[in-house]
């Protein structure tokens, strides 16, 4: 089912993001992970891909496994290091797999890698994909502003171009302070952007996530979370429990405020997905009644 139709039918969606294993790794572990995530009955599961098209084949493979398990996949597709012919091949592969939902992304700049002559922005990719089939397109957005934009207002003007090119729903970059999300959605309202926006929530449950997330996303860390990290950084069980509690609290507040959905960056960890889903399931059910 198209994700835009899911938004028509439900007040708030619940979904997960997974990443494909390395091309050399075998698929058995990810298959088990997908089975466990499927049991939690999310509305859909998104599958990331590497910039440069390198991850696209595995993305399609995992999307196919999800379809086999009866879960709607949202396949990420990047363009920053791809030619039109590369993207054409990836889109064809996704179509043959049975994928209808695609998250159209520019992709992060890879230092030293040759950049595409055919695509500069995610909006170029969205227009290209729209012309190649009956797809439902999502796009990325940034409550704390994309780092390359001079201002949030400029970022939102550019977001409109993505929507004009065919994107019908948005997933946010991870954030840890809900006030940033609320300020962002107020700006979207003022700009006349009415497509549903799902909040991207990343439970900080492992030392490695803490290190990588802080470096990569550039997300602002509120005092509440820096205290949690400082206290439990070297205590894995407590960091797991505290990270799950923080994410649960964030999601409870977002659902109370009427968010159209939560997309959980579960980092291929079914335990984290299961625990948080259990924590918020009655609230989610109440919102969707
Ligand atoms: P764009 O929408 O192209 O935006 C990039 C910059 O260009 C912004 O500053 C924007 O304001 C500006 N801009 C956009 N359109 C225009 C225009 N028409 N004219 C002028 N300026 C413009 N990366 C991966 O490699 N693989 C993934 O699977 C992946 N998944 C992601 C999922 C989510 C939900 C999010 C939020 C990010 C994801 N990323 C992924 C990271 C993403 O690729 C980077 O954040 C990248 O830097 C920007 O991608 P974008 O699609 O938002 O780009």
């Amino acid at each position: 089912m198209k994700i835009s139709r899911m938004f028509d039918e439900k007040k708030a969606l619940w979904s997960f993001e997974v990443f494909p294993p390395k091309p050399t790794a075998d698929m058995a572990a990810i298959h088990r992970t997908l089975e466990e995530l499927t049991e939690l009955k999310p509305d859909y599961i998104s599958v990331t891909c590497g910039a440069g098209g390198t991850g696209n084949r595995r993305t399609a493979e995992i999307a196919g496994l999800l379809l086999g398990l009866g879960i709607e996949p949202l396949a990420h597709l990047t363009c920053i290091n791809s030619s039109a012919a590369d993207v054409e091949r990836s889109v064809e592969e996704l179509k043959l797999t049975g994928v209808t939902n695609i998250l159209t992304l520019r992709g992060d700049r890879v230092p030293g890698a040759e950049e595409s002559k055919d695509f500069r922005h995610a909006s170029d990719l969205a227009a290209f994909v729209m012309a190649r089939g009956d797809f439902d397109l999502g796009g990325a957005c940034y409550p704390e502003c994309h780092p390359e934009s001079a201002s949030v207002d400029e970022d939102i003007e550019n977001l409109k171009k993505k929507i004009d090119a065919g994107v019908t729903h948005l997933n946010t970059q991870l954030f840890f302070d809900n006030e940033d999300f609320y300020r962002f959605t107020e700006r979207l309202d003022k700009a006349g952007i009415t497509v549903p926006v799902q909040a991207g929530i990343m439970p900080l449950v492992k030392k490695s996530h803490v290190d990588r997330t802080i470096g990569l996303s550039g997300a602002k860390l509120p005092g509440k979370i820096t205290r949690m990290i400082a206290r439990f950084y070297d205590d894995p069980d407590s960091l797991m429990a505290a990270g799950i509690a923080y994410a649960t609290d964030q999601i409870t507040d977002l659902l109370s405020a009427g968010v159209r959905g939560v997309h959980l960056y579960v980092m291929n960890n079914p335990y984290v997905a299961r625990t948080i889903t259990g924590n918020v399931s009655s609230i989610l059910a109440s919102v969707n009644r």
Side-chain angles (χ1 to χ4, degrees), residues 185-260:
T185 51
E186 275 169 25
R187 282 182 148 119
L188 294 183
D189 285 347
K190 278 197 193 127
I193 295 178
T194 55
V195 301
V197 181
Q198 252 184 285
I201 297 298
M202 165 130 183
L204 276 185
V205 293
K206 276 188 179 174
K207 238 171 149 168
S208 58
H209 300 173
V210 172
D211 299 339
R212 199 151 8 111
T213 304
I214 294 170
L216 274 185
S217 74
K220 195 175 80 196
L221 297 174
K224 204 170 160 185
I225 212 158
T226 50
R227 282 190 291 278
M228 176 189 101
I229 294 168
R231 184 80 181 178
F232 303 122
Y233 187 74
D234 285 317
D235 177 349
D237 291 347
S238 300
L239 185 58
M240 176 64 76
I244 285 175
Y246 191 94
T248 301
D249 192 38
Q250 240 192 312
I251 294 164
T252 303
D253 180 56
L254 288 163
L255 290 170
S256 309
V259 72
R260 292 302 317 273

Side-chain angles (χ1 to χ4, degrees), residues 48-49 51 76 78 103-108 121-123 140 142 146 148-149 155 158 161-162 171-173 265:
T48 66
C49 74
H76 296 209
T78 58
L103 189 67
T104 47
L105 298 150
R106 189 197 68 182
D108 272 322
H121 303 291
S123 51
Y142 303 84
H146 188 273
E148 290 170 36
S149 290
D155 211 27
N158 291 331
K161 295 173 192 160
K162 214 180 277 196
N171 285 61
T172 76
Q173 176 64 288
Y265 297 115

Side-chain angles (χ1 to χ4, degrees), residues 13-14 32 46 48 63 75 108 114 124 128 131 137 146 149 163 165 167 169 196 222 232 243 259 266:
L13 302 191
W14 183 249
R32 276 195 302 280
S46 84
T48 66
D108 272 322
E114 195 189 337
D124 304 327
F128 185 90
L137 305 187
H146 188 273
S149 290
I163 292 157
V167 163
H169 50 93
F232 303 122
V259 72
V266 294

Side-chain angles (χ1 to χ4, degrees), residues 17 51 71 114 164 179-180 193 196 199 223 232 274:
E17 178 184 286
I71 284 284
E114 195 189 337
D164 291 343
E179 296 308 320
D180 288 320
I193 295 178
F232 303 122
R274 193 180 315 115

